[in-house]
Amino acid sequence: MKTMLYPPQEEWSDLCRRPGININDLENLVKSIISRVKDAGDDAIREFSEMYDGFAPVALKVEEEVIAAAAAKVPEELKAAIEMARLNIEKFHLQSTSAIKVTESIRGVRCWSREVPIEKVGLYIPGGTAPLFSTALMLAIPASLAGCREIILCSPHGRNGEIDPLILYAASVSGVTAIYRVGGAQAIAAMAYGTETVPQVYKIFGPGNQYVTKAKELVQTDGIAVDMPAGPSEVLIIADKTSVPRFVAADLLSQAEHGPDSQVIMLTDNRELIDLIRNEVILQVKQLKRKDIIIKALENSALILLKSLDDCIRFSNMYAPEHLIIAVSDHRTLADRVINAGSVFLGTYSCESIGDYASGPNHTLPTNGFAKSFSGVSKESFMKKVFFQEVTPEGIRNLGPAVELMAEAEMLDAHKNAVSIRLKSLNND
Amino acid sequence: MKTMLYPPQEEWSDLCRRPGININDLENLVKSIISRVKDAGDDAIREFSEMYDGFAPVALKVEEEVIAAAAAKVPEELKAAIEMARLNIEKFHLQSTSAIKVTESIRGVRCWSREVPIEKVGLYIPGGTAPLFSTALMLAIPASLAGCREIILCSPHGRNGEIDPLILYAASVSGVTAIYRVGGAQAIAAMAYGTETVPQVYKIFGPGNQYVTKAKELVQTDGIAVDMPAGPSEVLIIADKTSVPRFVAADLLSQAEHGPDSQVIMLTDNRELIDLIRNEVILQVKQLKRKDIIIKALENSALILLKSLDDCIRFSNMYAPEHLIIAVSDHRTLADRVINAGSVFLGTYSCESIGDYASGPNHTLPTNGFAKSFSGVSKESFMKKVFFQEVTPEGIRNLGPAVELMAEAEMLDAHKNAVSIRLKSLNND
């Protein structure tokens, strides 16, 4: 973990760079996986499953009985925790429902827009060392609240040929309509183009390794919508002399355990805090199971001393962190000045873990500076707007002549004619 | 224009295919333009300007005096029409402002989200045969209402070395903060990565030819947001025996004049209407200036007879048209059943031209079936959400134990520790 004391402002934008990601050689491999799935469907999925996982699943679609049986494997206490998280996520994601408001632009011209659920969506949940069932909750609950008709989930099966029961359970309590034993780039291709078993969807959500990420990027060029571009996870913490060093250190470490490419940054206006936190990090990391990963992530990370909290929030807006913890005494004032961030945690007791699992806001958030233009996943991510306009004879009399003039100026006379022919008929009435 | 009588449902999805677009050879050329702009900035832009337009603009940034002088070239009558359109667009795009609502997920855990404008956005307005100033209005007005700090506009200069005065005028009345004489793929690259003169933006909007479209697709893979994927423009009209054939024909033709790759479709449950409309199309097309373009577009187009209006709306939802005109008597009932469409025009007098210019809703809409998952541009397209959560000691006491359990089940013990260390400190108090 680097320490930087009062870096000059000209260097800030360099400090905001994320650890580089190598992408070149990946593209052709993922392109070939996608085109094979497009051509051969289920057979291609089985081939890739055998190639990468050692064997192909017996059936791609997870059977009802298997999903039901998964519930029996989840301890009751954990079920209660999941239920608490589910309710909070639901409560938060419900908040944004907006009623249809009709605007009368001019007499006789009524306009409105209606939010409509995307009919078919696909969720990807990675496999790997830990079963990320919390992501299944975070994606399926807003999809379900939005009213999506088909919410399918793809996840790689483990060595026992089955998806982790926690993922199956979380999916079953949050509205997923079908689950498939498919992982990797081939899962993204299957959901983007459809196979005999896996239905085609219109938008794909969820995290994944670099193959999955590249596949999402590539299917986007065919107009398949995706949640957002992906990058390694990160946190930025703003701390002052009132912050509790062992809390701040624990938060830095909780983010660092995500992966060796994670980045954690602390900004402070208090010089003493730097050493206090460094010591706490060294102390706490020894106790943690994923310390090898954490130590690698800390190499990309920094404790940065700036002149003032004002500088801290300006730096943070330039960095645009996925997670921003404001652990200073006057956190509400700084909160008002946040422009670029995915999710913000205010005050000493708001640790990122709370938001990762259960406070309510989504944990699928823009990384890599993408918070400058992207939002985290919300119910709206599973909906789209349709515009409506209704024009009466009075309306076209009021607005038609202006449209004729503008269409003429754009040299589009068929556009003009569609108005003129109506105005003429009204004048003849 | 093809006529199809009662095509069986198995054939509908083939009928929903858009005319093919050839993209393969384009990619390398556009990639090389982008990488040259990344390397050489303004010099690269001048090179490409010379190469494609015959000469490079003297200065890339349009001077204040030039913008002011443009206003003098716009006839007063057209200025009044533009002002009427501007007010309607503003009225419609204002409607969606939503207040911050705080959710208390559980006692001591408060969550909310705040909509924040994207700080820097870039608008692209194509050059070519007609000055599409209406698109400048449609993009700059919602950007301005959203509160974007920098709203820049790039457009190619004409043979006289200057951007069309109508575009300069429309930009100046709708909140654009700087205008650059740059067109094509190099304009997209300049806005995505910044040059000495053109500032980098976080999201790029606007239509363009296949070079521009490909460039938008490519910069997206670097995390630059874009409005939506692009494709040729299209309209689908649902008509019944009450529809006025010459109005329907005029609407089909107004869409067809956009380009030879446009597609226009009419669905009806009334056999006689097919011939009436075909005759009107033949009659009207002769009067139109862009008839060569229109005749080519009509080759991709069809008049389709279906069994019922119910079948018509089901077909339309499968096609997911950019523009949908429902010109039947009971248009409100059908309107309620629209799932996939960009913008919908209801009733005999709601012609697409009205929406293209002045009714209020945006005319930047999802084409090519993308209305299944994308919305048209709105004020929200220029904003993003930031999530907030504030947890008190009571909050972490209520929610902490559930988070500990879930973090443990995901094998993320540093996540668990960030909660445990806080709970422990509260218990020691």
Side-chain angles (χ1 to χ4, degrees):
Chain A
M1 221 175 178
K2 291 175 280 284
T3 299
M4 290 166 202
L5 305 181
Y6 306 121
Q9 232 178 99
E10 311 86 74
E11 288 173 18
W12 287 13
S13 81
D14 276 340
L15 295 176
C16 287
R17 289 236 170 82
R18 309 310 203 261
I21 320 161
N22 179 25
I23 49 152
N24 272 342
D25 19 339
L26 200 64
E27 186 156 323
N28 287 332
L29 174 60
V30 176
K31 270 188 180 163
S32 73
I33 293 175
I34 291 175
S35 94
R36 181 80 188 126
V37 173
K38 262 171 133 168
D39 291 346
D42 287 351
D43 285 347
I45 290 177
R46 280 179 228 282
E47 274 168 31
F48 291 120
S49 244
E50 253 169 63
M51 193 185 302
Y52 295 117
D53 309 326
F55 65 99
V58 186
L60 295 186
K61 187 168 180 180
V62 181
E63 304 76 9
E64 292 290 334
E65 316 83 80
V66 174
I67 299 171
K73 292 179 197 149
V74 181
E76 288 307 317
E77 218 185 359
L78 184 55
K79 274 187 190 162
I82 288 174
E83 180 60 10
M84 190 181 247
R86 196 185 67 75
L87 287 172
N88 288 350
I89 297 166
E90 198 170 276
K91 228 187 257 182
F92 180 80
H93 286 80
L94 263 177
Q95 82 179 185
S96 46
T97 311
S98 59
I100 292 176
K101 248 197 292 183
V102 176
T103 305
E104 185 156 30
S105 330
I106 203 167
R107 280 184 62 118
V109 180
R110 297 167 73 245
C111 306
W112 64 96
S113 66
R114 197 175 77 208
E115 285 190 68
V116 181
I118 298 173
E119 289 177 285
K120 305 175 189 193
V121 298
L123 317 180
Y124 185 77
I125 306 295
T129 51
L132 297 179
F133 63 90
S134 61
T135 302
L137 295 175
M138 288 287 179
L139 296 176
I141 292 169
S144 190
L145 290 176
C148 300
R149 194 158 51 87
E150 285 184 39
I151 305 169
I152 71 167
L153 184 150
C154 285
S155 192
H157 53 83
R159 291 195 185 161
N160 64 351
E162 198 48 89
I163 296 170
D164 191 283
L166 277 171
I167 292 174
L168 296 177
Y169 176 72
S172 73
V173 298
S174 51
V176 168
T177 57
I179 305 174
Y180 300 90
R181 299 177 182 99
V182 190
Q186 59 274 26
I188 304 303
M191 294 195 280
Y193 305 104
T195 71
E196 301 89 320
T197 307
V198 182
Q200 185 186 32
V201 300
Y202 305 143
K203 190 167 183 178
I204 298 174
F205 295 78
N209 61 19
Q210 50 182 348
Y211 299 90
V212 169
T213 299
K214 180 51 87 177
K216 280 172 70 184
E217 187 187 302
L218 290 170
V219 301
Q220 227 184 329
T221 64
D222 272 337
I224 308 299
V226 304
D227 45 1
M228 68 188 81
S233 197
E234 67 209 10
V235 71
L236 186 148
I237 304 183
I238 302 180
D240 69 3
K241 62 174 191 293
T242 70
S243 307
V244 183
R246 69 182 185 288
F247 294 179
V248 174
D251 292 342
L252 291 170
L253 291 166
S254 76
Q255 181 56 49
E257 80 175 329
H258 274 298
D261 54 1
S262 287
Q263 186 173 61
V264 305
I265 304 278
M266 188 202 61
L267 307 179
T268 184
D269 62 347
N270 185 277
R271 186 156 192 162
E272 282 138 53
L273 205 61
I274 301 258
D275 288 333
L276 290 172
I277 284 173
R278 176 179 294 283
N279 292 341
E280 270 295 334
V281 165
I282 294 169
L283 207 68
Q284 289 182 29
V285 76
K286 292 181 199 147
Q287 324 287 330
L288 296 171
K289 291 191 185 118
R290 293 164 72 94
K291 66 168 161 292
D292 296 345
I293 291 172
I294 294 175
I295 287 167
K296 282 202 189 106
L298 292 180
E299 285 167 19
N300 314 320
S301 300
L303 306 172
I304 304 177
L305 180 67
L306 296 174
K307 276 185 214 127
S308 60
L309 290 180
D310 182 69
D311 270 11
C312 292
I313 194 74
R314 290 197 304 118
F315 185 105
S316 173
N317 280 328
M318 189 184 275
Y319 184 87
E322 180 191 12
H323 304 97
L324 167 61
I325 301 179
I326 306 186
V328 307
S329 56
D330 188 16
H331 51 79
R332 288 202 179 171
T333 306
L334 281 200
D336 289 340
R337 297 185 53 204
V338 172
I339 299 173
N340 299 322
S343 196
V344 186
F345 299 79
L346 300 173
T348 302
Y349 291 98
S350 300
C351 53
E352 192 202 307
S353 314
I354 287 270
D356 286 342
Y357 291 104
S359 57
N362 216 285
H363 77 195
T364 308
L365 297 166
T367 54
N368 202 33
F370 301 142
K372 287 172 182 161
S373 51
F374 289 90
S375 314
V377 164
S378 67
K379 197 181 67 178
E380 287 72 54
S381 313
F382 296 91
M383 306 186 85
K384 66 216 168 61
K385 275 184 205 176
V386 183
F387 302 142
F388 290 87
Q389 46 243 295
E390 194 182 42
V391 181
T392 63
E394 185 186 11
I396 201 152
R397 275 199 181 107
N398 286 333
L399 201 49
V403 172
E404 289 182 305
L405 272 174
M406 287 192 280
E408 202 179 329
E410 286 193 353
M411 299 178 222
L412 295 172
D413 77 325
H415 279 63
K416 182 184 172 185
N417 185 53
V419 173
S420 308
I421 205 167
R422 284 170 167 93
L423 287 177
K424 224 176 288 168
S425 101
L426 286 173
N427 291 337
N428 292 342
D429 279 353
Chain B
M1 221 173 177
K2 290 175 280 283
T3 299
M4 288 165 203
L5 305 181
Y6 305 120
Q9 233 178 99
E10 310 84 75
E11 286 173 19
W12 287 13
S13 82
D14 276 340
L15 295 176
C16 288
R17 289 237 170 83
R18 309 310 203 258
I21 321 161
N22 179 24
I23 50 154
N24 272 344
D25 19 340
L26 199 64
E27 184 155 324
N28 287 333
L29 174 60
V30 175
K31 270 188 180 164
S32 74
I33 293 175
I34 291 174
S35 96
R36 181 81 189 126
V37 172
K38 263 171 132 169
D39 291 346
D42 288 351
D43 285 346
I45 290 177
R46 281 179 228 280
E47 274 168 33
F48 291 120
S49 245
E50 253 169 63
M51 192 184 305
Y52 296 117
D53 310 325
F55 66 99
V58 185
L60 296 185
K61 188 170 177 176
V62 181
E63 304 76 9
E64 292 291 334
E65 316 83 81
V66 174
I67 297 171
K73 293 178 198 149
V74 180
E76 288 307 316
E77 217 186 0
L78 184 55
K79 273 188 192 164
I82 289 175
E83 180 60 11
M84 191 182 246
R86 195 186 68 75
L87 287 172
N88 288 350
I89 297 167
E90 200 169 277
K91 228 187 258 181
F92 180 79
H93 286 79
L94 262 177
Q95 83 179 185
S96 46
T97 311
S98 58
I100 291 177
K101 249 198 290 183
V102 177
T103 306
E104 185 156 30
S105 331
I106 202 167
R107 280 184 63 118
V109 180
R110 297 169 72 245
C111 306
W112 64 95
S113 67
R114 198 174 78 210
E115 284 189 69
V116 181
I118 298 173
E119 289 177 284
K120 306 174 188 192
V121 297
L123 317 180
Y124 185 76
I125 307 294
T129 50
L132 297 179
F133 63 89
S134 62
T135 302
L137 295 175
M138 288 287 179
L139 296 176
I141 292 169
S144 193
L145 291 176
C148 300
R149 195 158 52 86
E150 285 184 40
I151 305 169
I152 70 167
L153 184 150
C154 285
S155 191
H157 52 83
R159 289 192 187 163
N160 64 351
E162 198 49 89
I163 296 170
D164 191 283
L166 276 170
I167 293 175
L168 296 177
Y169 176 73
S172 73
V173 298
S174 51
V176 168
T177 58
I179 305 174
Y180 300 90
R181 299 178 181 99
V182 190
Q186 59 272 27
I188 304 302
M191 295 195 278
Y193 305 105
T195 71
E196 301 89 318
T197 307
V198 183
Q200 184 186 33
V201 301
Y202 305 143
K203 191 167 182 178
I204 297 174
F205 295 78
N209 61 19
Q210 51 181 349
Y211 298 90
V212 168
T213 298
K214 179 51 88 177
K216 281 173 70 186
E217 186 188 302
L218 289 171
V219 301
Q220 225 183 331
T221 64
D222 271 339
I224 308 298
V226 304
D227 47 1
M228 68 189 80
S233 197
E234 66 208 11
V235 71
L236 186 148
I237 304 182
I238 302 180
D240 68 4
K241 62 176 191 294
T242 69
S243 307
V244 183
R246 69 185 186 285
F247 293 180
V248 174
D251 292 343
L252 291 170
L253 291 166
S254 77
Q255 181 56 49
E257 81 174 330
H258 272 298
D261 54 2
S262 287
Q263 187 173 61
V264 305
I265 304 279
M266 188 203 62
L267 306 180
T268 185
D269 62 346
N270 184 278
R271 188 154 191 164
E272 282 138 53
L273 205 61
I274 302 259
D275 288 334
L276 291 171
I277 285 174
R278 176 180 293 281
N279 292 341
E280 269 296 333
V281 165
I282 294 169
L283 207 70
Q284 289 183 28
V285 75
K286 292 183 197 144
Q287 325 288 328
L288 296 171
K289 292 190 186 118
R290 293 165 72 93
K291 66 168 163 291
D292 296 345
I293 290 172
I294 294 175
I295 287 167
K296 282 204 187 104
L298 292 181
E299 286 167 19
N300 313 319
S301 300
L303 306 172
I304 304 177
L305 178 68
L306 295 175
K307 276 185 215 128
S308 60
L309 289 180
D310 182 70
D311 270 11
C312 292
I313 194 74
R314 291 197 305 119
F315 185 105
S316 173
N317 281 329
M318 190 185 271
Y319 185 86
E322 180 191 13
H323 304 97
L324 167 62
I325 301 179
I326 306 186
V328 306
S329 56
D330 188 16
H331 52 78
R332 287 202 180 173
T333 305
L334 280 200
D336 289 340
R337 297 186 50 203
V338 172
I339 299 173
N340 299 321
S343 196
V344 185
F345 300 78
L346 300 174
T348 301
Y349 291 97
S350 300
C351 54
E352 192 200 307
S353 314
I354 286 271
D356 286 343
Y357 291 104
S359 57
N362 216 286
H363 78 196
T364 308
L365 298 165
T367 54
N368 202 33
F370 301 142
K372 287 174 183 160
S373 52
F374 289 89
S375 314
V377 164
S378 67
K379 197 180 69 180
E380 288 71 53
S381 313
F382 296 91
M383 306 188 85
K384 65 216 168 61
K385 274 185 204 174
V386 183
F387 302 141
F388 290 87
Q389 45 243 296
E390 194 182 41
V391 181
T392 64
E394 186 188 9
I396 200 154
R397 275 201 181 107
N398 286 333
L399 201 49
V403 172
E404 288 181 305
L405 272 175
M406 287 191 280
E408 203 179 325
E410 286 194 353
M411 297 178 223
L412 295 172
D413 78 324
H415 279 64
K416 182 184 173 187
N417 185 52
V419 174
S420 308
I421 206 167
R422 284 169 166 94
L423 288 176
K424 223 176 288 170
S425 102
L426 285 173
N427 292 337
N428 290 343
D429 278 354

